[in-house]
Amino acid sequence: QNGVMSGLMQMLLLKVSAHITEQLGMAPGGEFREAFKEASKVPFCKFHLGDRPIPVTFKRAIAALSFWQKVKLAWGLCFLSDPISKDDVEKCKQKDLLEQMMAEMIGEFPDLHRTIVSERDIYLTYMLKQAAKQIELPRASENEPRKYVPAVVVGVVGMGHVPGIEKNWNSDLKIQEIMSVPPPSASSKIFKFVLKATVFGLLGYGCYRIGHRTVQFVLSMPATQSYLQRLTEVPQQ
């Protein structure tokens, strides 16, 4: 539904998620589930999913990478098997180490960092600012002056997004550009065609081999040979 490359990338990231779950005994995103549980305990509290839709992020990320960067990233995700401990997770909460990891990601995949981190920093900031707008109190009549009360907002985000949100908070943000999905590149179209041709070719060859063996097996059966012999004898009679 989301395209071949985007779908394959989602499958690889699900593999990474399963690896983390197996190593730590807990699924990623637990902080968001806890936020949902806590919100349900607060009267009149509204819970908003404020991140950019996953299909948009994936398609923009895939479009930003060159063919070889896609291959390199997919290779790394396919063979990700490094052990992860809870101590490693605690170390990642340290600001210096987190900034170092983000810098390494920028150095290796700058376009991927832009689409997955920097653009989502802008989107998350925009959504938080929308949620933090003052709330207008109901008025008894149109002549009554407008009264506002400040909104109370609790934002739960990944640590890697906090510096970007702080940086963008006082900016005039526009999200139309980062919500658009660029058309597929020529390399993506070629890869999609080759992948489809390979799949259908293998499927057709498999059907041919199965059909050929099935026919041979049926013809070698005594009952079939006897029936065929009778058919050849009928014209002679």
Side-chain angles (χ1 to χ4, degrees), residues 80-138:
L80 179 69
S81 59
D82 296 336
I84 304 170
S85 66
K86 292 185 179 180
D87 291 336
D88 294 331
V89 177
E90 292 301 320
K91 289 178 183 178
C92 288
K93 294 179 182 179
Q94 299 174 16
K95 186 176 180 181
D96 294 340
L97 182 61
L98 185 66
E99 289 178 352
Q100 180 184 342
M101 293 169 63
M102 298 295 282
E104 290 175 358
M105 182 180 176
I106 295 172
E108 193 166 6
F109 297 103
D111 294 324
L112 193 66
H113 179 273
R114 174 176 54 82
T115 53
I116 291 183
V117 180
S118 300
E119 289 183 359
R120 286 173 59 226
D121 288 345
I122 295 172
Y123 190 89
L124 289 166
T125 307
Y126 178 85
M127 295 300 288
L128 279 169
K129 290 181 74 171
Q130 292 298 310
K133 286 183 176 179
Q134 290 186 328
I135 301 171
E136 183 181 351
L137 295 175

Side-chain angles (χ1 to χ4, degrees), residues 147-222:
K147 294 181 180 179
Y148 298 88
V149 294
V152 179
V153 180
V154 177
V156 181
V157 298
M159 286 185 66
H161 290 292
V162 173
I165 292 173
E166 292 176 346
K167 175 185 174 182
N168 293 309
W169 189 259
N170 293 320
S171 303
D172 184 21
L173 302 175
K174 307 291 183 183
I175 63 170
Q176 289 80 5
E177 182 180 348
I178 62 173
M179 289 300 292
S180 63
V181 178
S185 62
S187 61
S188 297
K189 291 179 180 178
I190 293 171
F191 178 79
K192 184 177 180 180
F193 174 78
V194 171
L195 184 64
K196 283 186 175 181
T198 303
V199 170
F200 285 115
L202 291 173
L203 184 63
Y205 179 73
C207 292
Y208 165 75
R209 293 291 297 177
I210 293 172
H212 183 67
R213 290 186 178 183
T214 303
V215 171
Q216 285 185 330
F217 174 75
V218 172
L219 290 176
S220 65
M221 294 176 63

